[in-house]
Amino acid sequence: MIVRATDVPAALEPPVPDRRGPVHWRRWCAGVLAATGATLAAVGAINAAVDPFQQYRVAASHAPRFYALHHRWINPGIAKHAPYQTALIGSSIMESTRNAWIADACGGPAVNLSMPAISAAEIRTLLDTVFAARAPRRVVIVLDFNAFAGTPDERQDSAGPLPTYLYD
């Protein structure tokens, strides 16, 4: 029996090398970069429109929702963009004090920038942000003994880290 080259099944033939070369990979990399850029642009546009931490402006098109665990993230945006003449800074003891109560007592718009388990170093960072953004008529600071307990970073296990990049 004689076997000819044309009788060999296609699965047994040697593979044909891909002659497309680097052009194929360049197109693939360009496609991946374009998809990544489009995704980042979409996420950035949504974040700028919703602005959950109010870093660009105070919410006007919707009622903002503030969660107690997000004070460290929201306060720098409020300190920079909210209209106020009086700022209240304190620990969780002062969190439930309403802005209207402060405004009535001090005679002008007010904002409560209190945070749970705030340390003296965090108060200083928040004060720097307040004074860099505007010149308030009053700043009410409520210090309790826990503000000076331990090192500045010691309470981050319970209160969460302070995102210092939002405060500058």
Side-chain angles (χ1 to χ4, degrees):
M1 176 173 202
I2 298 175
V3 178
R4 297 184 194 125
T6 57
D7 294 339
V8 176
L12 298 178
E13 291 180 7
V16 178
D18 186 7
R19 303 264 189 239
R20 293 182 285 182
V23 174
H24 172 70
W25 288 104
R26 285 185 189 143
R27 263 194 248 142
W28 182 84
C29 288
V32 168
L33 287 175
T36 302
T39 302
L40 286 174
V43 169
I46 290 170
N47 189 37
V50 174
D51 195 13
F53 296 134
Q54 300 190 34
Q55 292 301 309
Y56 306 109
R57 67 195 163 282
V58 175
S61 62
H62 62 281
R65 298 191 64 174
F66 301 116
Y67 298 102
L69 298 176
H70 293 161
H71 285 295
R72 285 171 166 64
W73 299 86
I74 296 171
N75 277 351
I78 293 173
K80 293 174 191 172
H81 303 294
Y84 61 91
Q85 294 175 354
T86 303
L88 172 68
I89 300 173
S91 65
S92 57
I93 296 170
M94 301 308 297
E95 278 183 306
S96 61
T97 305
R98 297 185 183 273
N99 291 343
W101 298 346
I102 305 166
D104 289 344
C106 296
V111 66
N112 186 345
L113 300 172
S114 298
M115 291 189 275
I118 192 169
S119 69
E122 292 170 340
I123 290 172
R124 170 63 189 265
T125 303
L126 189 53
L127 278 173
D128 289 344
T129 303
V130 166
F131 289 129
R134 62 186 69 239
R137 286 187 16 205
R138 280 174 214 89
V139 175
V140 179
I141 299 174
V142 180
L143 289 174
D144 55 19
F145 65 93
N146 285 326
F148 301 102
T151 61
D153 297 335
E154 189 172 327
R155 0 170 143 225
Q156 292 187 3
D157 292 338
S158 61
L162 186 72
T164 54
Y165 62 91
L166 294 176
Y167 288 82
D168 56 5

